[in-house]
């Protein structure tokens, strides 16, 4: 079976409007035996277009529908002089009528994204516009959009099984009901809550809208979230979680059909996730016992609602640990940002007020001494030094919370609220003992596991009421902190001291190697797990930097941020200097990538990597590694964990920082352009050889 045949190609499609043109295309399906009732099919297409226009930018029309009148997945192509198909940029000249059986499984959802990806390629559209025969069109389309044979077979089988019910015949059987519009809700989150969270939400909402459904997504990101209301959740037919952190208060969604995936799936596979939700709703509607079982399980599970986070459900031990740690990092980052920027600003003011010795002098200020360095007693609104000291004291206070917050929210990710007390207090003890962020990691994991163990005890009914208030925090804190002080603390302090000694003595080749490794990690998966590990290493290291002005951890942070800016800026540059190598959607993404890259949002390069992963990621790893190494060699420093060019005044040696960034961007852009140009040239040679 083939999606398209020569009989399903119209090189001179005409019509007074898109409805008349669609009828002409549909008649080709009737003639080929793939449509049993033209009016029923056209009605289904019309219903789909009433939901959303099917015209795309660039002169494309894609009318489509699932219909009981279709016997197998099919495409019909038409080329016109220009018919209005609802796109804002003008009429359509290339039209694809997509037809799928109503009971045809995933065929419809496979055809749409494959055709959409093909239409992003200028050479694909140009080849269709220049084609002179129907056979040529079939060859061009089949090379890009042909479905997997199992999907074709399943779709045809599904259509055949439902054929008797699909037709209006002498048996009097009623036609099947059209697919109903669903009400969906969802939650998205990622470790930093900056880009993936909101991109996934937009991807899901757009996919639901395209499928004729309504959807509202709760974004549990760094900007906070507006929780879905109880009424919105109650009205939902299904739930989609796209998250890399535990969903807050997941029990709200108990008893609903649930699609549970990582946040990247929400960005790249929105239509497929919506399709999964549709299938779950259909299954639950057909078998009410599934809904009853889910509700019963939720009731038995209590406040958790019978739902566990993706961190706990079906994940490997390594994945669980990574996500526990990233939860702590995500809550720590605001403290790092506030404290780091305030300290950097205080140093800038101190240099203006006092001179070169300003930063050295300003770190003497505090809130407890009885001399002139107690800013609470000596502050003067007319003194620039006083303002610098005030900024430093506040920033230093914020830095004092880094390890406790890191530890506390790692424990929170493991045990929910019962983990906060042993985690936060354990982190404070680790900080006091000089065990640094490694000590915080240990107390967080240990405190969370102990708190979860104690909270699962089966105790007498009379004791249950005081468990969360007295028993769990008391016992978990005693066990966690007691073990750390007497057994774990001193070895971990020794390890931390050794790490700091190594970093402090790092120079020359060792600094370059570390910069290359961190830079390559930042450029490898553009906000994914590898990228986040490098970022977490840099941000947690800031806790050890304290008020020092030249700590190696500050160089690491600068290297990581510069490397993370390379990919989106390089792709923006590549689309500017060689636009013919990119599709129209990529050119639009390139414009946005300038701002995303400048703001240290590596995810700005994801649309390019999704379409062309080999060339883009290869260039990104090389360019980002070079930038990371150069920043380490140049000795640029940074206290802010985020911000891109917007925190440029806070970067030490910022001119060299910019030079390292520009070099990495130029290298990556050159690699991507060279690889794309080579493959385009090879394609031209192959095409000419076949003539």
């Amino acid at each position: 079976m083939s999606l398209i045949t020569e009989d399903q190609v119209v090189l001179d499609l005409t019509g007074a409007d898109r409805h008349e043109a669609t009828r002409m295309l549909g008649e080709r399906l009737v003639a080929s035996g793939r449509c049993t009732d033209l009016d029923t099919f056209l009605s289904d297409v019309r219903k789909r277009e009433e939901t959303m226009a099917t015209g795309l930018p660039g002169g494309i029309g894609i009318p489509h529908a699932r219909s009981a009148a279709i016997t197998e997945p099919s495409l019909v192509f038409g080329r016109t002089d220009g018919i209005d198909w609802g796109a804002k940029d003008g009429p359509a000249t290339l039209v694809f009528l997509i037809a799928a059986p109503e009971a045809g499984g995933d065929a419809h959802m496979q055809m749409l994204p494959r055709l959409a990806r093909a239409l992003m390629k200028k050479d694909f559209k140009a080849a269709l516009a220049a084609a002179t025969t129907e056979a040529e069109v079939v060859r061009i389309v089949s090379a890009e959009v042909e479905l997997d044979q199992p999907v074709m077979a399943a779709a045809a089988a599904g259509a055949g099984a439902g054929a008797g019910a699909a037709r209006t015949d002498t048996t009097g059987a009623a036609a099947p009901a059209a697919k109903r519009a669903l009400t969906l809700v969802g939650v998205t989150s990622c470790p930093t809550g900056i880009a993936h969270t909101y991109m996934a939400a937009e991807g899901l909402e757009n996919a639901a809208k395209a499928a004729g459904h309504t959807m509202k997504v709760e974004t549990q990101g760094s900007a906070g979230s507006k929780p879905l209301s109880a009424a919105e959740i109650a009205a939902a037919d299904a739930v989609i979680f796209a998250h890399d952190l535990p969903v807050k208060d997941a029990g709200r969604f108990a008893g609903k059909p649930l699609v549970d995936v990582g946040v990247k799936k929400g960005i790249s596979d929105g239509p497929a996730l919506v399709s999964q939700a549709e299938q779950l709703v259909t299954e639950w509607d057909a078998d009410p016992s599934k809904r009853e079982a889910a509700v019963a399980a939720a009731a038995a599970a209590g406040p958790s609602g019978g739902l566990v986070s993706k961190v706990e459900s079906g994940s490997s031990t390594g994945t669980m640990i990574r996500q526990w740690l990233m939860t702590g990092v995500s809550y720590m980052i605001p403290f790092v940002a506030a404290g780091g920027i305030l300290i950097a600003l205080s140093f800038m003011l101190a240099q203006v007020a006092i001179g070169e010795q300003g930063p050295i002098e300003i770190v003497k200020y505090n809130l407890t001494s009885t001399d002139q360095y107690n800013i609470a007693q000596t502050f003067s609104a007319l003194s620039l030094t006083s303002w610098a000291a005030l900024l430093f004291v506040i920033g230093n206070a914020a830095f004092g919370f880094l390890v406790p917050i890191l530890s506390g929210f790692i424990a929170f990710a493991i045990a929910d609220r019962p983990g906060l007390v042993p985690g936060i207090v354990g982190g404070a003890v680790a900080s006091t003992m000089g065990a640094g962020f490694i000590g915080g990691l240990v107390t967080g994991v240990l405190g969370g596991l102990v708190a979860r163990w104690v909270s699962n005890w089966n105790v007498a009914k009379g004791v249950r009421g005081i468990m969360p208030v007295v028993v769990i925090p008391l016992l978990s804190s005693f066990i966690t902190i007691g073990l750390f002080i007497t057994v774990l603390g001193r070895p971990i302090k020794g390890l931390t001291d050794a790490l700091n000694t190594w970093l402090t003595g790092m120079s020359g080749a060792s600094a370059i190697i570390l910069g290359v490794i961190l830079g390559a990690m930042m450029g490898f998966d553009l906000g994914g797990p590898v990228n986040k590990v490098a970022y977490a290493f840099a941000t947690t290291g800031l806790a050890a930097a304290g008020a020092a002005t030249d700590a190696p951890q500050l160089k690491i942070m600068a290297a990581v941020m510069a490397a993370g800016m390379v990919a989106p800026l390089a792709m923006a540059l590549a689309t500017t200097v060689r636009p013919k190598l990119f599709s129209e959607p990529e050119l639009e993404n390139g414009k946005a990538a300038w701002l995303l890259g400048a703001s240290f949002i590596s995810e700005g390069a994801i649309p390019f990597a999704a379409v062309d992963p080999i060339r883009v990621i290869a260039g990104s790893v090389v360019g980002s590694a070079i930038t990371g190494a150069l920043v380490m060699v140049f000795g640029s420093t940074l206290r802010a964990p985020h911000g891109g060019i917007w925190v440029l005044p806070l970067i030490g040696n910022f001119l060299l920082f910019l030079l390292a960034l520009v070099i990495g961007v130029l290298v990556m852009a050159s690699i991507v352009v060279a690889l794309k140009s080579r493959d385009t040239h090879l394609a031209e040679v192959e095409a000419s050889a076949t003539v």
Side-chain angles (χ1 to χ4, degrees), residues 562-632:
M565 297 168 67
V566 167
L569 289 175
M571 295 312 301
L573 178 62
T575 57
T576 301
V577 298
R578 291 296 302 276
K580 292 184 179 180
L581 296 175
F582 298 91
S583 66
E584 291 177 18
E586 285 178 314
L587 294 177
E588 290 300 314
N589 287 326
K591 297 174 183 177
W594 285 113
L595 179 59
L596 294 173
S599 302
F600 181 37
I601 298 177
S602 303
E603 290 87 347
I606 286 178
F608 303 97
V611 174
D612 189 4
I614 302 298
R615 286 177 285 235
V616 172
I617 292 176
S620 177
V621 168
V622 175
S624 299
I626 290 173
T627 291
L630 289 175
V631 171
M632 293 296 290

Side-chain angles (χ1 to χ4, degrees), residues 171-404:
T171 65
K179 182 182 73 174
R180 67 184 175 97
L182 303 179
T183 299
L184 305 175
V185 295
V187 176
T188 60
S189 69
C190 70
T192 53
I194 294 171
H196 277 81
T197 300
Y198 304 100
M199 294 169 71
E202 183 177 2
L204 290 174
E205 289 174 345
N206 289 341
K209 185 176 181 181
H213 309 308
T214 59
M215 183 170 192
K216 187 170 183 180
V217 178
E218 178 181 313
T219 53
Q220 296 183 354
S222 59
S225 63
K226 182 179 180 182
L228 294 163
S229 69
E232 289 169 332
I233 296 173
D237 295 295
V239 181
I240 300 176
F241 288 168
H243 63 118
D244 281 347
L245 292 177
V247 173
K248 300 172 185 175
D249 198 9
R252 297 173 291 163
F253 305 94
K256 297 284 185 181
L258 174 66
V259 178
D260 191 0
V261 297
V263 68
K264 275 197 170 183
K265 288 285 187 180
I267 300 172
S268 60
D269 295 330
L273 299 182
V274 171
S275 179
Q276 289 181 42
E278 292 173 346
Q279 292 174 358
L280 283 175
V281 171
T282 301
E283 291 172 6
W284 285 37
D285 287 346
D287 185 0
S289 66
K290 292 185 176 181
R291 191 179 305 276
E292 294 168 1
V295 172
S304 66
L307 292 178
V308 293
S309 73
K310 181 176 173 290
V311 175
E312 305 290 340
S313 178
S315 299
S316 67
T317 301
T319 299
M320 286 193 295
I321 293 174
R322 181 183 68 83
Q323 295 189 357
W324 292 341
L325 301 184
M326 291 310 300
T327 299
V329 170
S330 69
Y331 280 97
M332 183 190 72
I333 284 174
F335 290 84
V336 178
I341 292 174
L342 286 170
I343 291 175
L345 290 173
S346 75
F347 288 170
M348 291 173 59
L349 288 180
Q351 286 183 318
V352 174
I354 303 173
E356 288 294 326
Q357 297 299 310
I360 298 175
E361 185 71 15
I362 214 70
V363 299
K364 298 178 182 178
Y365 281 87
N366 57 75
L367 295 172
T368 58
S369 67
T370 57
D371 54 19
Q372 72 271 25
Y373 292 113
N374 186 328
I375 190 60
Q377 298 175 1
T378 62
F379 177 78
S380 171
L382 301 178
S383 169
L384 197 59
T385 301
S386 290
W387 284 107
L390 182 64
L391 291 173
F392 171 77
V393 169
I394 297 173
N396 201 39
F399 258 40
F401 285 93
L402 298 189
V403 175

Side-chain angles (χ1 to χ4, degrees), residues 486-537:
T486 59
V487 179
L488 301 173
R490 283 175 293 177
I492 293 174
K493 181 183 185 302
L495 178 61
T496 299
D497 291 342
L499 177 61
N500 289 333
T501 300
W502 175 71
L503 290 174
T504 302
M506 185 178 57
S507 61
S510 59
I512 293 174
I513 292 172
L514 182 60
V516 166
I517 294 172
L518 292 174
M521 291 173 71
M522 290 299 294
F524 177 68
D525 56 357
L526 305 171
V530 177
N531 172 287
K532 287 295 188 286
V533 169
Y535 182 66
F537 177 74

